[in-house]
Amino acid sequence: SGYLSAQQFRNMVIFLTSRLKDYDKADKFIEEYKTRLEPNVQISNYYFCKSVVEFNKKNWDLALESLSKVLAYDEFLKFQLDGLRLRIYYEKEFLINIQSSIDSAYHFLKNSKKSLEKYKTYYKSFLNYYKKLVLYKERPDKINIGLLMRKITNDEKVALKAWLIEKLEEIK
């Protein structure tokens, strides 16, 4: 079709920000390549990626503002969107938002397509661990935090594993 895959576009920004911590290069990539996406997905992917950059720069409010402009036009983007929203809520300590977002995410998982079974497994694991992370942030328990970290480390099927471990390390 001649268009850049939206998933490749998002993955490149996630790689540049999460792994390389090169926010300038990520911003340049977003600006340079956004018009190479299919026109009907440009805006959502643009704002999702801007949110990813701001999240990784620890600008939680800007990340949330950009995220509010994203329409999840497919289920995979919805997984990514929810994962990012939950991480922002955690960083901002929006406990009320966290609980309703977790409930919403589980409901979405239950009703999402069978074709995304692999992603559902990774995302469900993330949600299960995320709930425990939030619990331990409220009531730290060094022994169980250590056990949870080991469990996450050994789990091959969990989304956002590095972030979960990083946050557990912070409260340990």
Side-chain angles (χ1 to χ4, degrees):
S1 70
Y3 291 111
L4 177 63
S5 152
Q7 187 58 50
Q8 288 175 322
F9 181 77
R10 294 191 306 265
N11 285 346
M12 178 56 80
V13 172
I14 291 167
F15 175 75
L16 289 169
T17 58
S18 301
R19 301 284 171 118
L20 300 183
K21 308 290 186 215
D22 194 337
Y23 311 120
D24 290 336
K25 192 175 277 185
D27 276 327
K28 286 178 188 160
F29 176 84
I30 293 166
E31 296 304 327
E32 185 174 332
Y33 287 90
K34 68 183 176 190
T35 57
R36 296 186 187 181
L37 295 166
E38 288 186 53
N40 61 323
V41 302
Q42 284 178 6
I43 292 171
S44 284
N45 282 284
Y46 173 81
Y47 284 112
F48 176 82
C49 288
K50 292 302 260 186
S51 184
V52 167
V53 172
E54 295 304 332
F55 174 81
N56 282 287
K57 289 166 67 175
K58 300 184 182 342
N59 294 330
W60 318 129
D61 291 328
L62 291 174
L64 207 49
E65 183 181 326
S66 289
L67 207 60
S68 72
K69 299 174 184 175
V70 178
L71 294 174
Y73 58 85
D74 71 24
E75 290 188 336
F76 190 71
L77 177 57
K78 175 85 169 105
F79 286 137
Q80 290 183 304
L81 186 67
D82 285 349
L84 184 54
R85 181 179 295 114
L86 283 167
R87 288 181 291 157
I88 294 168
Y89 288 167
Y90 177 88
E91 299 294 357
K92 291 190 62 64
E93 299 182 357
F94 285 172
L95 297 179
I96 293 171
N97 301 67
I98 285 173
Q99 192 52 56
S100 65
S101 292
I102 289 172
D103 293 344
S104 172
Y106 277 119
H107 182 75
F108 169 70
L109 268 176
K110 191 175 136 195
N111 296 314
S112 62
K113 293 179 185 168
K114 275 273 197 222
S115 62
L116 296 174
E117 212 56 48
K118 175 185 171 188
Y119 300 111
K120 287 170 69 171
T121 300
Y122 279 71
Y123 188 59
K124 186 174 184 180
S125 293
F126 166 75
L127 289 173
N128 291 335
Y129 293 135
Y130 179 88
K131 280 174 56 174
K132 291 177 182 172
L133 168 66
V134 171
L135 176 72
Y136 292 144
K137 184 174 184 176
E138 292 295 297
R139 287 179 241 112
D141 176 341
K142 288 185 188 282
I143 293 170
N144 283 324
I145 289 172
L147 293 172
L148 183 60
M149 285 173 65
R150 223 170 297 121
K151 190 173 182 181
I152 293 170
T153 300
N154 294 329
D155 190 337
E156 296 294 320
K157 297 181 178 181
V158 57
L160 305 166
K161 181 190 282 195
W163 182 83
L164 288 166
I165 292 170
E166 175 189 331
K167 296 299 138 186
L168 286 166
E169 282 285 352
E170 288 175 7
I171 58 176
K172 191 172 175 182

